[in-house]
């Protein structure tokens, strides 16, 4: 055995061995219980960062541990390879997006392999490859046939200078990322998926997800935003139309002192047509239309509005209510109109005070001591109705039912369930994405491309001209086609799909990645799915996870799979920080995984990142911590060699007292590490326990020249087996160095022995009047009378009891003897 631990030589050797021997290849085997562990696949940006290393190291420990526990483990990897950065790079550097993407994939795959990750690379997918996006297009067609994909007019970001549509990400501070000219909103026809049809199931089925973080489920609940309320109409005599509003607090209807419309509301133009301040109103509308939704709805943004000069009739009192337009109301959220009840809503209150609108209290608390001179949080809560005609004195809940009944009887309102969730806009006016498999015929209209003609391939003869609505529009060969129905001239759809589509089903493709006849085989998908453990950042808690859940529910309803949730367990690991901040090039605090691996080896990088903090918390990078992990692996290297020598010189007789204690420590650690890994992610405490075992082995070695032979071999074998999921290379090397055959990663996980944990003797403290004066090692079942006599006979105890009266002896079994004494009275 080499005296020195040289990580880089060992790691290259075993990475090549695992690849050559398909050590981590996984096949369908219904005789075994399956376990599917998956880390979120990366965008191939070019290089791994430490967040990747943490994510993949966590998943790798789980995969290796479960395999050693006898599970048939699926642990795949691939690439979320479509998207805007590749297109930007193509424009900037004059290279094809595919070239940029595949070069990045090759580099990041090499980096992953250098980390020793146990992926089944035979299942690798890249969403930009035809053998993947063919099935993305096929799935879109199934959604379309089920009535879940449709096209309608929607607002997009438009740069008049470049004459093109921009994604939200391409709008920087309201300006085009290409030309720095102002971006406006424009109505264009866009493709949507009807995720709202699944809103209730997406909400209710969160209750099934027992192994998800509660905060993630709460975030999804809030995003779906289910609420129960009432929708009713305000009549506008001036234009002979009704404005619909939705509210969860119809009990505050008598407190309505104004109505607010979104500037884009279809009635606004008609309302302001002849108003003297129309120019001012038009300018305000233009300004607000070009703000993004986040800015308009943020609680930090100043609420601004203008009076339209028009009035609506209050449905309960018949009074005239002024109609305003404001920046905080969105046309595609709810009805695009909001009733203002400023005494009982904080946002309405601020708006009313700013523009001197009436504040009418209509709900009082039970103590009748709520004042309305300034905003109080309690004013938002349910209470007893006041100033509300026949509903005075009613509790809010009762009043809501009564008022809704009144509105329904008059035919101007109804009870309604509303959602914050909106249908998923999937159109992207970009090149590097999945072409939408639809053609348009002047005679036959909108037509799906026949399934046998899939995939609709991305053309290579595109240009990224500023004047094109989509780069696909610049390829005449792509755009011009024939109608699949009549055979006449037709045009292809020139939008591509949102890349969230690609990542909403990739975990299904992994179950049958090389299938060229179908997206995946149902038998294989049903065996492997659902994913037992999904691992990724909290930033994906809403959109990616929600879209994936939606996809699986639709795929289930199509009869393609037997389950309707994709991920049984979810772990959202913390970020890797440096000096308290997220690593970023702009802050100059980036630590390169490649540099760490080159200097210390992958095992050190993995060990540090798993040991330095609990997985759910942020981890602050520490160069000293990395050094410490490297030193520990050197200690493991030396102790394995030392125990080989101790065992050679050792005996085969019964264990000595010290050997028995060392074996007990070994089995204590096996028990602790197993508990920390089995259904948990307590990697840091598991590693800490292994470190304690190594320390105990060193302490024994330093005071003994030999060790009982079987114990010596057991210590080395089980130490390496426990370390194997964390540090796969060094353990593989040492496994073979001590004469073992086969890969350590194909061995069974060690099982602790209860008998080995039994303690025959225990050390206890002996106190006199509460102060420790001595210690004793005694049998655990020693009778109390014998224990008391032995304690009183100790020389150190006699020093404090001689000449005094023993008042009583308090015994806490196997822990403490406390002798209470008093001075003799002469």
């Amino acid at each position: 055995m080499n005296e020195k631990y040289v990580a880089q030589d060992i790691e290259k050797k075993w990475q090549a061995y695992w690849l050559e021997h398909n050590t981590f290849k996984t096949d369908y085997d219904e005789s075994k219980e399956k376990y599917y562990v998956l880390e979120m696949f990366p965008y191939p940006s070019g290089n791994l960062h430490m967040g990747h290393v943490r994510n993949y190291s966590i998943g790798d420990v789980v995969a290796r541990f479960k395999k050693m526990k006898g599970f048939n483990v699926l642990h795949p990897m691939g690439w979320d390879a479509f998207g805007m950065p590749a297109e930007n790079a193509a424009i900037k550097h004059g290279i094809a997006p595919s070239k940029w993407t595949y070069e990045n994939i090759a580099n990041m795959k090499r980096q992953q392999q250098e980390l020793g990750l146990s992926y089944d690379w035979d299942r690798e997918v890249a969403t930009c490859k035809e053998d993947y996006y063919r099935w993305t297009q096929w799935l879109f067609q199934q959604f379309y046939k089920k009535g879940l994909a449709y096209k309608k007019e929607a607002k997009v970001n438009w740069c008049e200078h470049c004459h093109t549509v921009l994604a939200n990400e391409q709008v920087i501070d309201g300006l085009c990322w290409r030309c720095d000219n102002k971006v406006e909103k424009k109505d264009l026809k866009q493709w949507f998926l009807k995720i709202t049809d699944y809103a209730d199931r997406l909400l209710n089925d969160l209750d099934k997800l027992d192994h998800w973080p509660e905060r993630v489920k709460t975030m999804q609940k809030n995003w779906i935003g289910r609420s129960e309320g009432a929708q009713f109409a305000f009549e506008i005599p001036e234009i002979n139309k009704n404005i619909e509003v939705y509210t969860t607090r119809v009990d505050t209807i008598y407190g309505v002192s104004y109505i607010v419309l979104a500037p884009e509301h279809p009635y606004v133009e008609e309302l302001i047509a002849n108003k003297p301040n129309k120019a001012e109103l038009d300018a305000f509308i233009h300004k607000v239309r070009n703000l993004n939704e986040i800015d308009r709805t943020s609680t930090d943004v100043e609420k601004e509005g203008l009076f339209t000069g028009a009035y609506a009739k209050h449905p309960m009192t018949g009074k005239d209510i002024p109609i305003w337009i404001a920046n905080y109301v969105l046309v595609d959220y709810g009805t695009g109109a909001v009733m203002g009840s400023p005494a009982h809503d904080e946002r309405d209150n601020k708006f009313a005070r700013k523009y001197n609108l009436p504040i009418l209290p209509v709900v009082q608390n039970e103590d009748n001591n709520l004042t309305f001179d300034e905003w109080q949080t309690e004013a938002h809560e349910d209470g007893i109705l006041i100033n509300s005609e026949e509903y005075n004195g009613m509790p809010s809940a009762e009043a809501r039912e009564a008022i809704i009944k009144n509105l329904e009887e008059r035919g101007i309102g109804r009870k309604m369930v509303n959602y914050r969730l909106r249908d998923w806009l999937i159109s992207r006016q970009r090149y590097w994405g999945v072409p939408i498999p639809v053609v348009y015929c002047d005679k036959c209209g909108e037509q799906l491309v026949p399934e046998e003609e899939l995939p609709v391939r991305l053309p290579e003869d595109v240009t990224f001209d500023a004047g094109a609505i989509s780069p696909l529009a610049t390829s005449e060969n792509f755009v011009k086609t024939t109608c699949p129905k009549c055979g006449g001239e037709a045009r292809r759809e020139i939008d591509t799909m949102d890349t969230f589509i690609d990542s909403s089903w990739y975990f299904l493709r992994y179950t049958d990645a090389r299938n060229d006849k179908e997206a995946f085989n149902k038998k294989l998908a049903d065996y492997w799915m659902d994913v037992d453990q999904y691992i990724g950042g909290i930033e994906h808690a809403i959109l990616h996870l929600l879209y994936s859940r939606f996809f699986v529910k639709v795929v289930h309803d199509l009869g393609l799979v037997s389950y309707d949730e994709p991920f049984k367990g979810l772990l959202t690991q913390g970020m890797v920080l440096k000096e308290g901040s997220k690593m970023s090039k702009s802050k100059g605090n980036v630590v390169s995984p490649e540099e760490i691996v080159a200097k210390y080896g992958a095992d050190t990088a993995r060990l540090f990142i798993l040991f330095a903090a609990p997985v759910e918390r942020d981890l602050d990078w520490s160069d000293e911590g990395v050094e410490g992990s490297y030193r520990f692996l050197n200690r493991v290297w030396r102790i394995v060699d030392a125990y080989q020598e101790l065992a050679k010189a050792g005996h085969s007789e019964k264990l000595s007292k010290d050997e028995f204690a060392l074996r007990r420590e070994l089995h204590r650690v096996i028990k602790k590490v197993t508990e920390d890994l089995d259904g948990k992610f307590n990697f840091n405490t598991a590693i800490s326990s292994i470190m304690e075992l190594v320390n105990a082995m060193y302490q024994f070695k330093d005071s003994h020249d030999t060790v009982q032979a079987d114990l010596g071999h057991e210590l080395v074998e089980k130490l390496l087996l426990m370390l194997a999921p964390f540090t796969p290379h060094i353990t593989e090397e040492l496994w073979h160095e001590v004469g073992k055959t086969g890969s350590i990663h194909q061995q069974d996980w060690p099982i602790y022995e209860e008998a080995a944990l039994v303690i025959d003797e225990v050390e206890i403290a002996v106190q006199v009047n509460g102060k420790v004066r001595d210690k004793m090692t005694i049998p655990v079942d020693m009778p109390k009378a014998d224990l008391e006599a032995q304690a009183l006979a100790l020389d150190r105890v006699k020093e404090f009891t001689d000449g005094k009266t023993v008042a009583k002896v308090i015994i806490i079994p196997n822990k403490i003897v406390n002798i209470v004494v008093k001075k003799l009275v002469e």
Side-chain angles (χ1 to χ4, degrees), residues 44-286:
S45 56
N47 286 288
L48 298 184
H49 55 66
M50 280 301 172
H52 289 130
V53 175
R54 191 179 197 193
N55 187 0
Y56 306 148
S57 297
I58 291 167
D60 202 47
V61 171
V62 175
R64 291 176 183 276
F65 172 72
K66 288 294 183 180
K67 185 165 186 171
M68 294 173 79
K69 290 281 283 184
F71 289 86
N72 190 24
V73 175
L74 178 59
H75 187 211
M77 180 47 62
W79 312 96
D80 192 8
F82 273 135
M84 193 175 64
E87 194 161 328
N88 291 352
I91 295 167
K92 184 177 179 181
H93 302 297
I95 59 171
S98 57
K99 184 177 188 294
W100 186 85
T101 300
Y102 288 122
E103 285 176 356
N104 288 350
I105 286 174
N107 188 54
M108 292 175 74
K109 182 176 179 178
R110 175 187 61 78
Q111 291 177 318
Q112 286 180 326
Q113 289 173 333
E114 286 177 354
L115 286 169
L117 302 167
S118 59
Y119 296 133
D120 179 356
W121 285 109
D122 286 351
R123 295 175 183 268
E124 179 185 10
V125 303
T127 59
C128 64
K129 286 188 173 182
E130 290 178 13
D131 63 356
Y132 185 90
Y133 74 71
R134 166 190 180 183
W135 300 112
T136 303
Q137 291 174 340
W138 181 83
L139 284 167
F140 170 87
Q141 293 192 338
Q142 309 319 302
F143 278 62
Y144 184 93
K145 292 172 186 175
K146 193 173 168 60
L148 294 171
Y150 66 95
K151 198 172 190 182
K152 73 169 185 179
E153 200 166 80
K155 297 186 183 306
V156 295
N157 302 309
W158 179 259
C159 176
E160 185 62 34
H161 182 266
C162 295
H163 199 66
T164 189
V165 173
L166 303 175
N168 286 335
E169 301 89 343
Q170 293 171 313
V171 181
I172 302 167
D173 296 330
L175 304 178
C176 173
W177 67 283
R178 283 179 180 162
C179 67
D180 284 336
N181 277 278
K182 192 167 184 178
V183 173
E184 299 181 354
K185 291 285 184 179
K186 186 171 183 175
D187 292 320
L188 280 182
K189 283 196 170 181
Q190 306 279 281
W191 282 97
F192 290 82
L193 295 186
K194 276 191 179 179
I195 192 172
T196 52
D197 280 10
Y198 284 74
D200 276 326
R201 283 171 65 184
L202 288 166
L203 183 64
N204 296 336
D205 287 354
L206 286 169
D207 292 338
K208 296 180 182 178
L209 304 177
D210 297 332
H211 301 291
W212 277 43
E214 282 302 319
R215 69 169 178 156
V216 172
K217 293 199 284 186
T218 299
M219 289 164 78
Q220 290 216 357
K221 284 176 185 174
N222 292 340
W223 189 265
I224 296 165
R226 185 184 190 276
S227 63
E228 294 183 4
Q231 187 159 308
F232 58 92
F234 286 81
E235 182 187 354
I236 314 175
E238 182 179 330
I239 60 172
N240 196 29
K241 288 178 179 172
N242 294 327
I243 289 178
E244 295 272 337
V245 299
Y246 170 83
T247 181
T248 59
R249 293 297 306 274
V250 75
D251 54 316
T252 67
I253 192 169
Y254 283 90
V256 174
S257 59
Y258 65 95
I259 295 172
V260 183
L261 302 184
E264 304 92 339
H265 194 286
Y267 293 173
V268 168
E269 286 299 322
E270 208 172 341
L271 286 173
I272 68 173
N274 300 310
K275 299 298 185 289
N277 63 336
K278 186 175 185 304
E280 182 186 12
L281 287 161
D282 284 340
F284 179 76
I285 291 167
H286 182 77

Side-chain angles (χ1 to χ4, degrees), residues 327 511 740:
N327 61 351
T511 67
K740 301 290 184 180

Side-chain angles (χ1 to χ4, degrees), residues 117 449 475 535 701:
L117 302 167
V449 173
S475 171
I535 304 165
K701 176 189 77 73

